[in-house]
RNA sequence: GGGUGAGUACCAGAGUGGCCAAAUGGGGCAGACUGUAAAUCUGCUGGUUUUUACCUUCGGUGGUUCGAAUCCAUCCUCACCCA
């Protein structure tokens, strides 16, 4: 299984799309499909034949997180969630049922269940109710999935999402429930949403041992390169995150030697190559001073180069993680590099 | 030579007797960003001090006043107009 990214599918219709999916469909654009050694054959056996021939499978999110970030213009009910477009105020509704349909239409290889992303600082009572809603939606989603067929000539699978906020009892309950609907993989959601990083790691440690080894574990929305390595050490296989592109656009570069804020004055006269240990062509084609200049000047090209670099770096991180797992020295390697990559340059 | 207008912090530009260390932009310096309403947002930007506070600033000098970036006199500089 090659490590790869799904390119941006935001606003881009699948080449075989059979229905107009409408403009309200919002999809993330940086899925980092790191997969631990040993899972490769699983995917081939799972009937997702495109995984064999195409190293860039499509993964679509349900929109559950968008709804989470829409506080103020959303309404959650048992039926689903209604929200207003920030563009024209029009109302839209996500239900587990129409969400399955949408992701069928897009033709994602991996579809994500519709869930409620519970805030990291929610109390147990709220988290309890939130989890009940997510469980109800998951059951309906699974039913709708079973009763519908792919619209294209390949199989699709969906990942249920484990919620439960920062409460171990809820996380365990959610894991047991979600596993009933897990075919090839399962996701952990509702983390990195306000809680302490250590708490996030605790939740991963709580959940992962409950998941069978042959199931891919996808940690949604995480995170920094260090977060990713720590999560891998706790059993996670897949990630996605806006961080490489968003932070890149805002001038932050992640490298093996630490984090650079390209807007900082210290780079103004630094004509060394962008990242000597980088794997992207931009790392050896442009200088730190040039990128600094682009950001200070507000040139879009700076954001483009930074995104390119960060995506390449993220992929390098997970590729090397795989190699060290295979070599048997992952933990030792991880502890050494985490120190380096988290320092400020 | 005559006339009019203007000189405010790095830049532009408000302010026209006390609530002014001086609005607002820009620039500068830093920070944030984790299933993308995000090429975004936040803070600082005369000096000393942790804050209160105090000190030095609004072209120069000298006045008026309890108090001046603001009023008066004068000088300097710039812009425009007339000759």
């Amino acid at each position: 299984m090659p490590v790869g990214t799904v390119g941006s599918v935001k606003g881009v219709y699948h080449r075989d799309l059979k229905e107009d999916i409408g403009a309200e469909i919002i999809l993330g654009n940086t899925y980092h499909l790191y997969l631990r050694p040993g899972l490769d054959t699983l995917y081939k056996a799972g009937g997702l034949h495109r995984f064999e021939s195409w190293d860039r499978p499509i993964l679509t999110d349900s929109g559950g997180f968008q709804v989470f970030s829409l506080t103020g213009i959303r309404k959650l009910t048992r039926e689903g969630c209604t929200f207003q477009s920030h563009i024209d105020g029009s109302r839209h509704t996500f239900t587990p049922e129409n969400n399955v349909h949408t992701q069928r239409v897009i033709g994602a290889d991996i579809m994500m269940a519709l869930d409620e992303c519970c805030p990291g600082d929610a109390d147990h009572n709220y988290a309890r109710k939130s989890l009940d809603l997510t469980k109800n939606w998951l059951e309906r989603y699974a039913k709708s999935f079973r009763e519908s067929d792919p619209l294209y000539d390949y199989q699709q699978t969906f990942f249920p999402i484990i919620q439960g906020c920062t409460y171990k009892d809820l996380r365990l309950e959610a894991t047991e429930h979600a596993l009933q609907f897990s075919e090839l993989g399962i996701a952990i959601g509702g983390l990195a949403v306000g809680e302490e990083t250590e708490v996030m790691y605790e939740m991963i440690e709580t959940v992962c041992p409950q998941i069978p080894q042959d199931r891919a574990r996808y940690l949604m929305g995480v995170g920094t390169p260090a977060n990713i390595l720590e999560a891998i050490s706790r059993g996670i296989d897949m990630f996605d995150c806006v961080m490489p592109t968003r932070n890149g656009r805002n001038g932050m570069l992640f490298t093996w030697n630490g984090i650079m804020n390209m807007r900082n004055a210290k780079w103004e006269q630094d004509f060394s190559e962008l990242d000597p240990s980088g794997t992207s062509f931009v790392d050896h084609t442009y200088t730190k001073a040039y990128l600094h200049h682009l950001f200070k000047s507000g040139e879009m090209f700076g954001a483009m180069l930074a995104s390119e670099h960060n995506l390449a770096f993220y992929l390098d991180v997970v590729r090397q993680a795989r190699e060290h797992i295979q070599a048997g020295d992952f933990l030792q390697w991880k502890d050494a590099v985490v120190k380096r990559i988290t320092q400020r340059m």
Side-chain angles (χ1 to χ4, degrees), chain A residues 19-176:
Chain A
E19 285 183 46
D20 184 347
I21 58 177
E24 72 272 21
I25 305 305
I26 302 165
L27 301 164
N29 67 354
T30 57
Y31 288 87
H32 299 279
L33 300 182
Y34 154 86
L35 290 166
R36 72 176 181 275
L39 279 181
D40 309 41
T41 52
L42 165 76
Y43 283 89
K44 291 174 183 173
L48 292 180
H49 58 86
R50 288 168 70 201
F51 276 65
E52 296 176 39
S53 56
W54 190 22
D55 66 355
R56 298 193 167 190
I58 292 178
L59 187 154
T60 51
D61 194 13
S62 61
F65 189 78
Q66 273 68 33
V67 171
F68 164 75
S69 66
L70 255 44
T71 311
I73 50 172
R74 69 172 190 199
K75 190 179 169 189
L76 288 180
T77 64
R78 196 79 177 163
E79 172 62 18
C81 54
T82 303
F83 57 94
Q84 276 186 280
S85 165
H86 65 283
I87 297 168
D88 61 5
S90 57
R91 284 174 206 286
H92 304 268
T93 301
F94 284 158
T95 64
E97 292 77 18
N98 71 23
N99 210 275
V100 168
H101 177 69
T102 297
Q103 297 188 73
R104 287 284 196 203
V105 170
I106 294 169
D109 298 274
I110 300 170
M111 302 161 49
M112 298 307 301
L114 184 67
D115 65 340
E116 187 200 355
C117 185
C118 183
D121 59 355
D123 60 36
H124 194 280
N125 186 43
Y126 182 96
R128 165 82 266 159
K129 286 177 183 163
S130 172
L131 178 57
D132 286 340
L133 188 66
T134 288
K135 284 165 72 176
N136 174 269
W137 285 1
L138 174 56
E139 287 161 19
R140 286 161 55 195
Y141 192 99
K143 180 169 188 287
S144 202
F145 181 84
R146 275 197 310 273
E147 295 172 353
S148 61
D149 295 311
L151 299 174
Y152 312 101
D153 60 354
Y154 51 84
Q155 293 298 305
Q156 294 175 281
T157 189
F158 87 91
F159 285 14
I161 302 171
I162 298 166
Q163 288 290 341
C165 199
T166 56
Y167 305 101
K168 287 187 180 178
D169 59 324
L170 297 183
R171 284 283 170 185
L172 288 171
E173 175 189 324
T175 306
E176 189 183 352

Side-chain angles (χ1 to χ4, degrees), chain A residues 254-273:
Chain A
F254 299 96
T255 79
W256 287 114
N257 293 313
I259 296 166
M260 293 189 282
N261 181 346
M262 298 316 297
R263 291 196 319 260
N264 288 170
K266 64 197 295 185
W267 308 120
E268 187 177 4
Q269 298 295 323
D270 190 332
F271 296 98
S272 61
E273 60 187 51

